[in-house]
Structures are given as structure tokens and as C-alpha cells.
Amino acid sequence: MQKLALVFFIAFELCYYLLIAQTGIVEHLASNIFVIAPLPIGGVIGSILSFYIKTSNKNKIFSFLLLQLAVSFFYPNLNALLLFILGISVGALAPLLINELKKASNIQLGFALAISYALGTFLFTYEASQRGSIAIAFTIIALLSSLFINQKEHKDLISNNYSYSLFVMVLWIFLDSTLFETLSRDLSTSIWRDGFTLEIIVFHLIGVVSAFYIKMEKTQKELLILTLFALSYLFYFLHEGFILSLVYPFVISLYNVVILQTIVKKDLKTLGIYMVFIGWAASGAGLFVALENLTYFVPVIFLVCLIKILTTQQTQKKELPWLN
């Protein structure tokens, strides 16, 4: 029961973030970045509050889920105050959720991600303004599940010794967020609305499995993820929707598992700080680029960052020849 509760808590809170906080609110508010602003501002504050509030993590999770549920009853008619409060709740829950992954095995994490990707993809085309019932139902499931999570600490999740730099992880999130937000608004190449739902779900699942079972050196995996992102952008620019629906979901699943396996090793305070950069700054920058129609300039940013990463890798090999 405790293992299933952890899987459901992770899966449905991730689905909530995708369908409500990341896409539902943005679509309903017509992508007006000034109207949406209270949400990420609250998110940053919530990420910091997650470790400054002095009570048990179980109480924190329960309280912030109650806050999320209360706001969800008003969805989609959220004013600036409600957006700010929702930002605080989802912002605080992100590091708390990742901290709970220390109790998860690879199988539990794999199932949780599989559920969230499959369900999120299936419901993605659901009208944003009509997702109120989804917001309430998903929060209730996450809330009830959190009551049965085992309070003992376990660290079965970590299956490798690699730690990826914050810069690399921020870059991955930025590339993903920019392409995702661009695709969701592009009527000519929208893989979710062009009948590729099955392909997207299947390759999300293949990506999750591959992340756990493909054994590669750290530098090789970094370059693989960057290469797959480059191909994703290439297929988007070429309007190759079918191939994009295979490559892009795969790399999303792959890099998300890699990030989780890296940051789950951190304490709650560090997780909160990381979420400010990974969860809000990088994704917010991606949203801004997409809204301002600057996606075609991303390859330039990509090239500069790639040169920096390669230079860093070469420097590390010279200084630490045994480093993978």
C-alpha cells in the first residue's frame, strides 16, 4: 500500500503541474506573461518556504496540497492572488516531492513517470478552461496518497554515481520548455493535436526504461541528450511531426530521469534552491522565448552552450583523467 501510495503521489502531482500549472493556466490566460507572473513569483517563494518552514515533511506536503486543492476549486478563474497562492503551493511541493523520491525504487519511479506521461499526454488536448475537475481530482488523489507514504528514509533510487552540473540541467530544461511551449502554440506542427498521441506515449515509456537500463559514461549521456534535443529542433524546423513525436518524448523522459537521479541526492534546502533555477527560471525563460517567437535563435544559444560543455569536459579529463 505504501509503495503504491508513493507512486500515485508522484504521478498525479506531476500530472497536475503539467496540465494545470504549466499549460492549463497559460493557455486559459492567453499566454499573457504579465497576467501569469504571480504564478512563478509564488513558485520561487514556495520553493524557499519548503525548507524554511519548521515542521515535518509530511505536514508540509499535506498543508501545501490542501492549499493547492483550495485554489483548484476556483480554476480556471484565478486572479493574481490565487495565482500567487497556487505558485506557492506547487513551488513548495516540487522539492518536497523530489525529496520523497529517496524512498522510491527505480521501479516505483518508473511507474510514476509512466503514469504521468501517459495520462498527461492523453489529457493534453482537453480544453484548458475545462480542466477544473481534473485539477480537483488529481489533487485529491495526491493528497490521499500522501497520507499513506512511508515516513522512513530509503535510498534505493540512486543507481549511478554521476552528478550533472546545474548549468547542464538548466540548459536541458530551457531547451525542453522552449520547444514544448512553441509546439503547443504552433498550429502547423502540434504533435499532440496531430494524431500522434500513441507514438508520444510509447516513446515516453521507452525513454523512461532506457534511462534506467542504458549504461553510459556521464559525458556520453550528456552529449546523447544534447544530440537528441538538436534532432528534435531540427525535425520541428522541418515540420516532420511524426519523427518529432518519436524523438522528442524519448529525450524528455531520458533527461528527466537523469535529472531526478542527480538532484535526489541533495538535501531539502539544496532541492529548493535548485527548483528556483530548474523549475522556474529555466522554464520561464523557455516560455518567454516561445511567446516572443524567438525559437529560431535557440540553435545559436545551443551552439554556444555546447562549446562550453565540451570545453568543460576536456578540462575535467585533463585535471581528473579517471573521471567518467
Side-chain angles (χ1 to χ4, degrees):
M1 181 64 181
Q2 292 173 338
K3 293 180 179 180
L4 189 61
L6 182 57
V7 169
F8 277 14
F9 167 65
I10 297 168
F12 283 92
E13 184 57 26
L14 288 176
C15 275
Y16 184 96
Y17 180 81
L18 171 65
L19 294 172
I20 305 301
Q22 185 177 5
T23 60
I25 290 172
V26 175
E27 287 185 30
H28 181 71
L29 296 178
S31 300
N32 188 324
I33 199 165
F34 295 104
V35 177
I36 300 167
L39 179 67
I41 293 173
V44 171
I45 294 173
S47 295
I48 296 172
L49 286 177
S50 67
F51 59 86
Y52 268 118
I53 295 177
K54 302 304 179 183
T55 184
S56 69
N57 288 342
K58 183 176 182 179
N59 289 338
K60 292 178 189 178
I61 291 171
F62 185 78
S63 299
F64 284 118
L65 281 172
L66 277 181
L67 195 62
Q68 178 177 292
L69 179 61
V71 176
S72 296
F73 280 105
F74 296 94
Y75 181 90
N77 302 311
L78 305 180
N79 57 29
L81 177 60
L82 289 175
L83 285 172
F84 179 72
I85 294 173
L86 182 61
I88 289 176
S89 63
V90 297
L93 285 166
L96 289 168
L97 181 150
I98 295 170
N99 193 60
E100 291 301 304
L101 291 178
K102 293 173 182 176
K103 305 171 185 176
S105 65
N106 286 339
I107 293 177
Q108 285 174 283
L109 176 59
F111 272 116
L113 291 176
I115 292 171
S116 64
Y117 285 137
L119 196 55
T121 301
F122 183 74
L123 294 174
F124 185 80
T125 56
Y126 204 83
E127 181 64 36
S129 61
Q130 302 298 318
R131 296 179 187 175
S133 57
I134 293 175
I136 295 170
F138 284 9
T139 304
I140 290 175
I141 293 172
L143 183 63
L144 293 176
S145 299
S146 71
L147 299 176
F148 298 96
I149 296 176
N150 186 358
Q151 292 306 298
K152 294 179 67 176
E153 289 290 336
H154 298 289
K155 297 189 178 181
D156 301 322
L157 171 66
I158 303 170
S159 60
N160 62 63
N161 297 317
Y162 303 146
S163 292
Y164 294 83
S165 69
L166 180 60
F167 171 79
V168 169
M169 293 187 288
V170 166
L171 175 61
W172 291 343
I173 296 286
F174 169 74
L175 292 173
D176 181 15
S177 178
T178 301
L179 186 55
F180 178 83
E181 299 293 351
T182 302
L183 278 171
S184 63
R185 291 165 178 76
D186 193 329
L187 298 179
S188 63
T189 311
S190 178
I191 57 177
W192 296 280
R193 296 181 175 87
D194 289 346
F196 299 123
T197 299
L198 179 60
E199 288 86 350
I200 294 171
I201 292 175
V202 169
F203 276 84
H204 265 312
L205 301 183
I206 293 174
V208 171
V209 174
S210 299
F212 289 118
Y213 289 101
I214 292 179
K215 304 301 180 184
M216 301 177 67
E217 293 182 355
K218 175 188 170 183
T219 54
Q220 293 174 333
K221 191 167 284 188
E222 276 186 10
L223 293 177
L224 173 62
I225 292 172
L226 289 173
T227 300
L228 290 172
F229 266 122
L231 289 173
S232 297
Y233 274 86
L234 175 63
F235 293 133
Y236 166 69
F237 293 145
L238 296 176
H239 301 289
E240 292 290 345
F242 174 71
I243 304 177
L244 181 60
S245 69
L246 309 182
V247 178
Y248 184 41
F250 179 87
V251 69
I252 290 176
S253 298
L254 180 63
Y255 92 81
N256 272 317
V257 172
V258 170
I259 285 180
L260 289 174
Q261 288 180 321
T262 296
I263 65 177
V264 76
K265 306 170 188 177
K266 312 296 182 181
D267 59 76
L268 185 59
K269 182 176 181 179
T270 305
L271 284 173
I273 295 171
Y274 268 47
M275 284 301 102
V276 171
F277 293 98
I278 295 174
W280 298 104
S283 59
L287 174 61
F288 176 80
V289 170
L291 293 179
E292 296 300 317
N293 297 315
L294 299 174
T295 306
Y296 283 95
F297 293 97
V298 170
V300 178
I301 299 174
F302 182 94
L303 182 60
V304 172
C305 292
L306 179 60
I307 293 172
K308 181 184 185 310
I309 291 171
L310 291 173
T311 302
T312 302
Q313 289 180 355
Q314 291 301 315
T315 302
Q316 289 177 342
K317 286 181 179 180
K318 290 179 180 178
E319 295 177 351
L320 304 170
W322 62 87
L323 185 64
N324 286 329

